[in-house]
Amino acid sequence: MPTPINERKLANAIRVLSFDAVQKANSGHPGAPMGMADIAEVLWRKFLKHNPADPQWHNRDRFVLSNGHGSMLIYSLLHLSGYDVSVDDLKGFRQLHSKTPGHPELGYTPGIETTTGPLGQGIANAVGFAIAEKTLAAQFNRDGHNIVDHHTYAFLGDGCLMEGISHEVCSLAGTLGLGKLVFFYDDNGISIDGDVEGWFTDDTQARFEAYGWQVIKVDGHDTDEITKATEQAIAETAKPSLIICKTTIGAGSPNKQGLAASHGAPLGDDEIVLTRDALAWTHAPFELDDEIYEAWDAKAKGDVQQKNWDADFEAYKKAYPGLASELLRRLNGELPADFESQAQAYIQQTQEQGGDVASRKASQNAINTLQPLLPELLGGSADLAGSNLTLFKGAKGIEKDADGNYIYYGVREFGMTAIANGIALHGGFIPYVATFLMFMEYARNAVRMGALMKQRVIHVYTHDSIGLGEDGPTHQPVEQLTSLRTTPNLRTWRPCDATESASAWVEAIKSEHNPSALIFSRQSLPHQARDAEQVANINKGGYLLAKEQSELQAIIIATGSEVGLAMEAYETLSANGVGVRVVSMPCAEIFVEQDASYREAVLPANIRARVAVEAAHVDYWYKFVGLDSKVIGINTYGESAPAEELYKEFGITTDAVVDAVNSLV
């Protein structure tokens, strides 16, 4: 059945705003917004639960534009629906500091739920949203009180489905039965290089049915079909749904629709004139009828929906005051009032107890202590829980218990990390995920995206160096620490014992606007003596662990497992009359944020004899020691052998540190 003219006109408003903005910017992607306009009109006007006046309303539906290059689609939708996105904002598309950057960016534009652009990650974020909604609902909803009750919708294209991450996360979504997750696939058969039949011939329907999804096929330009399919998707509560929408890219453009020419470049002034004629659109660029705005305006409907929820929440609060208070605390991202005092008590306890322990085990001990204080911790590992030591007492997998607190991600490092970003974005949880440090590489772009979005995600990476041992160089990280440390807004911790491990966990939990990478050893590490001031200074990222016994001549900087080597070298050097101090630097990024006086107190500028020691790539440490000092580390790949033999083989030894200091003083 052909789409009624009024609905087509409303969809055409998206088309003209999109190609006008792209043309004005002389940059962008008009094809996807034009091709998906009819789908967007149906979803946003008939189904999406949201309030433009309060974009952060907790029980709103989440919408993700995974094919983020089509950003003018969502900017047009936000503008038309009544969000604080003006015509001038649309005219500023892709310009410096505008609300409408080239790809949707969290924090720039009200109504944007996640940053998208790297294809496939948006759908992974959407899976994270859906997991968070389902788990939070199971934890807090009670009979007659469905306080957490919303859907997650995502738009995606051919490119998203070609990316490997789509398999990882969609497979898991099917296994978990995420019935409130609905994807609209823009099946237009075109990517940047042209007709995808040359490189993408998957049977997408069979693929998703094999994952355990409901799959529905529609004409993506027929509003009746799209409407019925969306209703069918919402009615299916046991499976996620994929609606395959057969569309024409650049729909409405007489000479460029259906062609790659409309994908990633402006239509051009001449083609825009022809397109306006084809759409029977007589208005000047960026001008719309009042009736179009009235038909699109979602503020009144959203206000009613939110007020109805507010009333429901008041009833819930009366029936379950404790649960209501706890839910709001978690949704607002607040830590319990007594968390800080209890956390500091635990850190002090680890110092007093002492004992040599692998830092991965110290990490597990920290989780066991902190998780009861923080029910919002939602852990997970990429099939390595027994090695990463991420399971805690009382861990319940969400695949069996919807109200659980642990996710068995399977071997899906990239998908796991991008899902965790979505969980954090949703609110109500602090997610942590885990794998071997080496396999951070699979997840690298999702780690970066979490840092870009300033999300509180905790990355647990164990088996942190050649200390991994017999598994060999394929599993032994060398350059990964440097990669993580040079990632803006990410805090990378490499603790040396149980006390530093506990501190790292506490600081990661408190870092509301920073993801953290916690790097832990396979092998046992010696406990270090500290006074109260030293314990307190751990959270400054670097601190004086061992003070010089005579006039200061040299400084040893170390992290993690190599702090033990540094301390052994310190004892030898001090006994020989060398004035040397040891600085433990578990988090260099935090250390450099300290005031100049503190940094000078720890690393006096006049002491140029410096040695850094870490079983990782040497290059990172020259910023702290200077080119005229030395770094004991590794700049090649490892070998397969017991850890103790490998440290000797690569010259990361106490004697090497002693010799390096002696050569400088």
Side-chain angles (χ1 to χ4, degrees):
M1 179 182 294
T3 297
I5 187 66
N6 63 321
E7 292 177 334
R8 178 58 50 79
K9 186 176 181 180
L10 295 175
N12 285 344
I14 298 170
R15 293 184 169 99
V16 294
L17 287 174
S18 296
F19 65 60
D20 281 341
V22 170
Q23 190 66 31
K24 188 175 188 305
N26 196 31
S27 174
H29 298 74
M34 295 173 71
M36 299 193 79
D38 299 303
I39 309 166
E41 186 271 329
V42 169
L43 177 63
W44 277 64
R45 289 189 63 250
K46 295 182 180 179
F47 295 100
L48 194 71
K49 181 171 66 177
H50 63 125
N51 185 4
D54 186 3
Q56 298 304 309
W57 169 39
H58 293 309
N59 203 45
R60 68 191 183 278
D61 290 336
R62 274 45 172 196
F63 174 79
V64 177
L65 184 69
S66 186
N67 47 339
H69 54 269
S71 55
M72 268 311 303
L73 172 65
I74 194 166
Y75 298 148
S76 299
L77 289 165
L78 293 169
H79 169 70
L80 291 165
S81 299
Y83 287 80
D84 184 17
V85 179
S86 67
V87 168
D88 285 341
D89 291 325
L90 300 184
K91 291 178 179 178
F93 178 57
R94 287 184 163 233
Q95 306 309 301
L96 185 64
H97 301 316
S98 77
K99 284 186 181 179
T100 50
H103 290 80
E105 302 280 351
L106 184 74
Y108 285 75
T109 322
I112 296 296
E113 300 284 3
T114 182
T115 299
T116 56
L119 292 177
Q121 285 197 67
I123 62 179
N125 296 161
V127 172
F129 285 135
I131 288 174
E133 190 277 340
K134 182 177 181 178
T135 305
L136 202 66
Q139 291 180 358
F140 283 94
N141 289 353
R142 296 295 183 268
D143 289 344
H145 298 278
N146 290 325
I147 297 304
V148 181
D149 183 14
H150 53 264
H151 284 76
T152 300
Y153 301 100
F155 282 7
L156 55 136
D158 296 299
C160 291
L161 293 183
M162 283 186 259
E163 292 285 1
I165 192 173
S166 69
H167 166 69
E168 294 184 26
V169 303
C170 294
S171 166
L172 185 61
T175 298
L176 295 178
L178 301 178
K180 289 184 177 177
L181 180 65
V182 182
F183 285 176
F184 294 83
Y185 165 34
D186 182 28
D187 182 17
N188 61 35
I190 298 293
S191 66
I192 292 175
D193 283 350
D195 192 328
V196 301
E197 286 187 359
W199 48 87
F200 185 55
T201 57
D202 299 14
D203 185 338
T204 300
Q205 178 174 351
R207 172 185 166 186
F208 275 78
E209 287 174 344
Y211 293 153
W213 288 54
Q214 171 180 238
V215 181
I216 310 163
K217 285 188 168 182
V218 300
D219 176 347
H221 301 296
D222 187 319
T223 58
D224 284 347
E225 286 191 25
I226 301 164
T227 300
K228 290 174 183 175
T230 308
E231 290 170 344
Q232 186 179 336
I234 292 170
E236 174 55 76
T237 59
K239 298 179 178 180
S241 294
L242 176 72
I243 303 174
I244 300 175
C245 305
K246 193 63 184 176
T247 62
T248 300
I249 192 170
S253 169
N255 296 305
K256 294 189 177 183
Q257 64 182 5
L259 302 174
S262 68
H263 184 286
L267 295 182
D269 290 332
D270 292 344
E271 186 66 14
I272 283 176
V273 170
L274 296 174
T275 305
R276 275 187 152 78
D277 287 343
L279 299 177
W281 198 270
T282 59
H283 300 292
F286 301 102
E287 290 184 6
L288 302 175
D289 290 334
D290 288 343
E291 66 175 1
I292 290 177
Y293 281 116
E294 289 170 6
W296 267 106
D297 194 339
K299 293 194 293 291
K301 182 180 178 182
D303 183 63
V304 170
Q305 290 175 324
Q306 185 166 352
K307 284 178 176 174
N308 287 341
W309 183 83
D310 289 341
D312 291 342
F313 189 78
E314 284 301 312
Y316 177 73
K317 189 160 52 174
K318 287 179 182 177
Y320 303 97
L323 280 175
S325 175
E326 178 72 356
L327 176 59
L328 285 180
R329 178 190 71 77
R330 287 172 54 172
L331 287 172
N332 292 330
E334 301 166 356
L335 299 178
D338 61 348
F339 175 79
E340 179 69 15
S341 60
Q342 294 203 54
Q344 294 306 318
Y346 172 65
I347 292 170
Q348 188 58 43
Q349 180 188 328
T350 63
Q351 183 61 39
E352 292 169 1
Q353 287 180 341
D356 298 354
V357 64
S359 56
R360 62 173 174 155
K361 180 60 181 178
S363 168
Q364 186 180 45
N365 294 340
I367 299 170
N368 274 322
T369 300
L370 298 172
Q371 196 279 332
L373 310 178
L374 289 168
E376 59 264 45
L377 274 183
L378 184 60
S381 175
D383 204 48
L384 287 169
S387 294
N388 298 145
L389 301 185
T390 50
L391 283 170
F392 51 90
K393 298 171 185 174
K396 287 197 306 182
I398 65 168
E399 81 286 353
K400 292 182 179 178
D401 298 289
D403 65 344
N405 49 24
Y406 195 86
I407 303 173
Y408 292 91
Y409 283 102
V411 187
R412 297 181 174 97
E413 294 89 354
F414 191 6
M416 168 183 72
T417 307
I419 286 171
N421 288 340
I423 292 170
L425 286 161
H426 179 277
F429 295 100
I430 300 175
Y432 69 85
V433 292
T435 185
F436 287 1
L437 177 56
M438 186 63 248
F439 303 132
M440 174 278 297
E441 295 289 357
Y442 283 125
R444 186 69 184 86
N445 197 261
V447 174
R448 182 180 189 272
M449 291 294 286
L452 181 63
M453 294 189 285
K454 302 178 180 178
Q455 293 305 296
R456 181 162 46 188
V457 177
I458 302 171
H459 307 282
V460 176
Y461 297 131
T462 69
H463 298 63
D464 67 346
S465 68
I466 56 172
L468 170 69
E470 291 87 344
D471 280 338
T474 62
H475 284 52
Q476 293 166 0
V478 173
E479 72 275 27
Q480 284 64 41
L481 279 167
T482 296
S483 175
L484 291 168
R485 287 176 177 140
T486 55
T487 302
N489 205 51
L490 177 69
R491 293 176 170 176
T492 301
W493 290 83
R494 189 169 184 250
C496 74
D497 64 2
T499 306
E500 285 192 359
S501 297
S503 297
W505 262 105
V506 171
E507 292 306 307
I509 288 166
K510 289 161 57 180
S511 295
E512 188 176 353
H513 303 297
N514 304 85
S516 300
L518 310 185
I519 315 299
F520 298 118
S521 71
R522 178 190 187 189
Q523 71 273 32
S524 183
L525 306 180
H527 178 73
Q528 302 299 331
R530 300 176 185 85
D531 61 24
E533 183 181 8
Q534 288 172 308
V535 172
N537 283 339
I538 294 172
N539 67 11
K540 294 179 179 178
Y543 65 101
L544 181 59
L545 178 63
K547 185 175 173 57
E548 60 277 9
Q549 297 177 20
S550 56
E551 183 179 353
L552 182 61
Q553 297 172 270
I555 302 171
I556 303 172
I557 305 170
T559 78
S561 49
E562 286 66 67
V563 169
L565 293 181
M567 290 300 294
E568 290 174 358
Y570 167 83
E571 295 295 342
T572 299
L573 290 161
S574 298
N576 292 332
V578 179
V580 63
R581 65 169 52 175
V582 175
V583 172
S584 178
M585 196 171 290
C587 186
E589 303 86 61
I590 293 179
F591 177 75
V592 299
E593 293 173 359
Q594 304 305 306
D595 61 64
S597 61
Y598 178 79
R599 287 184 279 117
E600 173 66 17
V602 176
L603 296 176
N606 66 311
I607 304 300
R608 303 296 299 168
R610 300 181 179 188
V611 175
V613 55
E614 184 177 66
H617 203 287
V618 299
D619 281 6
Y620 177 81
W621 289 104
Y622 288 106
K623 64 187 284 185
F624 289 103
V625 304
L627 295 178
D628 53 348
S629 288
K630 294 190 175 183
V631 181
I632 307 297
I634 188 170
N635 57 11
T636 185
Y637 297 114
E639 295 286 350
S640 176
E644 188 175 334
E645 292 182 28
L646 290 172
Y647 272 84
K648 292 177 183 176
E649 171 71 17
F650 290 101
I652 306 172
T653 63
T654 300
D655 288 346
V657 178
V658 170
D659 291 344
V661 172
N662 283 329
S663 72
L664 297 171
V665 297

